[in-house]
Amino acid sequence: SKAQALNARMETEARVLLDEIDKQHVRKVARSAYACAVSCYDKAGASGSPDALEVCVQNCQIPHQQAHAYVQNEVAQFQNRLNRSMQECQDKARDMMQPGYEN
């Protein structure tokens, strides 16, 4: 059906967009986070405390975690808006099928 084809196209386009966001933005943040973590190990060397090393690595991961959470939140908000729009269209179509409906 037309609705299924449109839905499949939207899913494909969304996947393409999310892949592009990942490649152009999120991966850069992830790479920086891992480089930062390697730097923590370099600084700790053989004598640094395990706790300080762990805190350093965790701090390095914060920007990547935030970027990932931001993208996930935006996707969830978009899906929510899309679902509300689809529900509104379904409601309008259902109303149009009622006897006595006038445009």
Side-chain angles (χ1 to χ4, degrees), residues 3 17-18 22 34-35 40 71-72 84 94 96:
L17 180 62
L18 287 174
D22 181 61
Y34 287 112
C40 293
V71 170
Q72 293 300 319
R84 286 194 322 260
R94 195 175 6 259
M96 291 173 76

Side-chain angles (χ1 to χ4, degrees), residues 30-82:
R31 187 185 185 293
S32 294
Y34 287 112
C36 177
V38 168
S39 158
C40 293
Y41 281 91
D42 290 344
K43 288 177 192 171
S47 60
S49 84
D51 290 341
L53 176 61
E54 184 177 341
V55 169
C56 181
V57 170
Q58 286 175 348
N59 287 338
C60 290
Q61 296 301 318
I62 290 171
H64 181 236
Q65 292 167 345
Q66 289 173 335
H68 183 74
Y70 178 80
V71 170
Q72 293 300 319
N73 184 51
E74 289 297 312
V75 168
Q77 286 184 22
F78 175 75
Q79 288 175 327
N80 189 8
R81 286 191 300 267
L82 186 59

Side-chain angles (χ1 to χ4, degrees), residues 18-35 64 67-68 71:
L18 287 174
D19 284 349
E20 196 62 28
I21 290 169
D22 181 61
K23 290 173 187 173
Q24 295 296 319
H25 303 287
V26 178
R27 288 184 189 182
K28 290 177 184 177
V29 176
R31 187 185 185 293
S32 294
Y34 287 112
H64 181 236
H68 183 74
V71 170

